[in-house]
Amino acid sequence: MSEYVIDAKDMEVKELNRTIKEQAISHDRLIINNPESEHNICAGLSENVDIEINGSAGYFVGTMVNGAKIHVNGNAGWFAGDNMTEGELVIEGTAGDGAGQGIYGGTVLVKGNTGSRTGEIMKGGTVIIGGNSGFMTGLLMMGGTLIILGDVTDDVGESIMRGRIFVLGNVKSLGKNAVMEKTTEDDLSELKEILTEYGFDLTDEDYGNFKKIVNMQ
């Protein structure tokens, strides 16, 4: 596997993203050091490349990615993975508002907590939050699977149209058009497959405690 290291210290984001796109053509793996919480890292990247970001990223990390696998060894700002169509974004720390906003496919995983409106207007794909999520989680959700392993606050699933939200922790309140349904055996099998793949070791009792939130039919 060919690897290329980018030192992003003092680089403008246009230069950084141009370098990423150029090197992704001829390398399988890119390592980005000193990202300095720059916004829009890897925006619009369409190469099937593994990227490791050693440090925190700002707003819109991995926005409009199609195929790349991005691993952030730090935190991320608002709208991580925004409008991803295919690929993977893993954030080891926390993320701000709108994580996984509008994704069509792929997976966004935040191992820590997120802010408000996680998974808003997502159309497909999977968003996994290892910690807690803020208000209006799943706002205007149109499809896909949203999994929260911690607690969620007010108005979960506000104006949800399609898709499913699974919450292991406490749900403070449901939003308009959202209802709780019993999780099915198929739901639990899918949850186990997804979460085991990403290294979560839950008990059968944990899986039995998942709440399923969907559109009011």
Side-chain angles (χ1 to χ4, degrees), residues 15-33:
E15 179 187 1
L16 174 57
N17 280 337
R18 182 171 61 248
T19 303
I20 291 169
K21 289 175 181 178
E22 288 172 351
Q23 298 303 326
I25 295 171
S26 54
H27 295 87
D28 302 310
R29 175 176 165 82
L30 304 181
I31 298 174
I32 302 172
N33 294 325

Side-chain angles (χ1 to χ4, degrees), residues 128-142:
I128 307 166
I129 309 302
N132 303 324
S133 183
F135 72 90
M136 289 192 179
T137 291
L139 172 66
L140 289 166
M141 195 170 165
M142 301 179 190

